[in-house]
Amino acid sequence: MLPAARRHGMGVIPWSPLAGGWLTGKYRRGEQAPAGSRFTPGGNPAWVTRTVDVDPSAPARYDAVERLTKIAEGAGLPLTHLALTFVGEHPAVTSTIIGPKTMAQLDDLLAAADVRLGGDVLDAIDEVVPPGTDIAGINHGTGNPSLEPGGRRRPAAT
């Protein structure tokens, strides 16, 4: 979809750049999910019987969040800013659906609007989650040139 959008001059607006809350840092290994989150009763009605610990992808997600948190810290950014900016670095992406629930969340997410990531940070993220894959290991784009390092990025800001 991304190469077709670029070829035809269309923009893409992805949803859930914070991976359902995983990239906010609110889900931590060995800790209860915060009240009202999708993994607690009253959070997301479709998931009311699930918890983070029974999610089969949780161990891999915890590992990735821990690694991405270190990358964000090394770049001097909150994890939310790293995640939003990473999604926006693809040249076909024109905006993202951010979905804040509170004014504080909106303020945090809007503060990421002018952040840009260098090639070293993008490469570090790619080591955690290679282009065309997700945490559960499902391959969404083997051989897709738009997901290769040279095809998925805007030029680094100077």
Side-chain angles (χ1 to χ4, degrees):
M1 178 174 88
L2 295 173
R6 288 186 70 198
R7 186 171 48 253
H8 295 289
M10 299 170 59
V12 175
I13 304 175
W15 62 274
S16 198
L18 299 178
W22 280 93
L23 296 176
T24 65
K26 71 179 171 181
Y27 301 120
R28 302 268 184 200
R29 191 184 314 268
E31 296 179 12
Q32 288 292 103
S37 71
R38 71 183 65 236
F39 292 105
T40 59
N44 182 336
W47 292 33
V48 78
T49 60
R50 294 182 72 179
T51 65
V52 176
D53 294 327
V54 298
D55 182 338
S57 65
R61 288 178 190 261
Y62 285 129
D63 292 344
V65 168
E66 289 166 5
R67 292 176 65 194
L68 291 169
T69 298
K70 288 179 184 173
I71 294 168
E73 289 169 354
L77 297 170
L79 182 58
T80 53
H81 294 192
L82 181 86
L84 287 178
T85 303
F86 177 79
V87 171
E89 290 290 345
H90 193 287
V93 172
T94 57
S95 185
T96 57
I97 299 173
I98 56 177
K101 292 181 185 177
T102 68
M103 196 64 191
Q105 289 174 354
L106 177 62
D107 289 339
D108 173 55
L109 300 178
L110 291 177
D114 294 323
V115 174
R116 291 292 167 261
L117 302 176
D120 58 331
V121 176
L122 293 168
D123 291 342
I125 294 168
D126 286 349
E127 288 180 24
V128 177
V129 183
T133 66
D134 68 13
I135 294 300
I138 298 170
N139 192 324
H140 295 290
T142 299
N144 184 334
S146 74
L147 296 173
E148 295 300 318
R152 68 164 174 77
R153 299 183 183 162
R154 290 188 175 101
T158 55

